[in-house]
Amino acid sequence: MTVSCCSLMVVALTLMSWTADDTMTKENGMTVINTTTLGKDVQGFLGTTPVKIYIQKNKVVKIEALKNQETPKYFLKVKKNLLDKWNGVKVKDAKKMKVDAVTGATYSSKAVIENVQLGLDYYSKH
């Protein structure tokens, strides 16, 4: 049985796509969960609202908003009033937290909260 060069390339590219997952990475000794893929169906007011969740020693260190299409004026409220709610909290406790949306930025807030939950669930399972 002969295997063509093209067939080998297809197999190699397929294997690379299976292993190339940027959802969970390491950065400065922390585990970082990127919800861009996890939350691809989670919509804020104008689009997706992905976040990066930094975890060290099973505690949330910080949550960082990634590029999104939300109205900057309203999303700034989310950044200022919501993203630090999970800081310093153990992952198992952070997963159970009931965090309120920010008034005036409800859709964006709810999307960020859902992204955080998706990211924490992913971390716990992997």
Side-chain angles (χ1 to χ4, degrees), residues 35 38-51 53 63 68 70 75 78 82-83 86 99-102 105-119:
T35 67
L38 294 173
K40 69 183 183 313
D41 297 325
V42 177
Q43 294 292 306
F45 186 68
L46 295 172
T48 59
T49 57
V51 297
I53 305 167
I63 297 175
N68 61 67
E70 301 299 273
F75 200 72
V78 173
L82 187 66
L83 294 182
W86 295 271
V99 179
D100 293 328
V102 176
T106 306
Y107 290 107
S108 301
S109 298
K110 287 182 177 182
V112 166
I113 292 166
E114 189 172 344
N115 269 286
V116 170
Q117 290 303 315
L118 287 170

Side-chain angles (χ1 to χ4, degrees), residues 8-50:
L8 288 175
M9 283 181 30
V10 168
V11 170
L13 289 172
T14 302
L15 288 173
M16 285 172 41
S17 68
W18 285 340
T19 59
D21 182 8
D22 64 347
T23 301
M24 187 160 57
T25 58
K26 291 284 188 186
E27 198 174 302
N28 298 325
M30 290 183 268
T31 300
V32 181
I33 306 298
N34 181 326
T35 67
T36 301
T37 303
L38 294 173
K40 69 183 183 313
D41 297 325
V42 177
Q43 294 292 306
F45 186 68
L46 295 172
T48 59
T49 57

Side-chain angles (χ1 to χ4, degrees), residues 46-83:
L46 295 172
T48 59
T49 57
V51 297
K52 274 187 173 182
I53 305 167
Y54 293 80
I55 300 169
Q56 187 172 44
K57 296 182 181 172
N58 228 19
K59 283 187 179 179
V60 176
V61 175
K62 70 176 180 175
I63 297 175
E64 179 181 284
L66 296 176
K67 185 177 177 182
N68 61 67
Q69 300 302 312
E70 301 299 273
T71 307
K73 174 182 172 182
Y74 294 106
F75 200 72
L76 184 59
K77 290 182 178 187
V78 173
K79 285 182 175 179
K80 286 184 174 181
N81 299 302
L82 187 66
L83 294 182

Side-chain angles (χ1 to χ4, degrees), residues 1-14:
M1 180 174 152
T2 49
V3 178
S4 72
C5 181
C6 290
S7 295
L8 288 175
M9 283 181 30
V10 168
V11 170
L13 289 172
T14 302

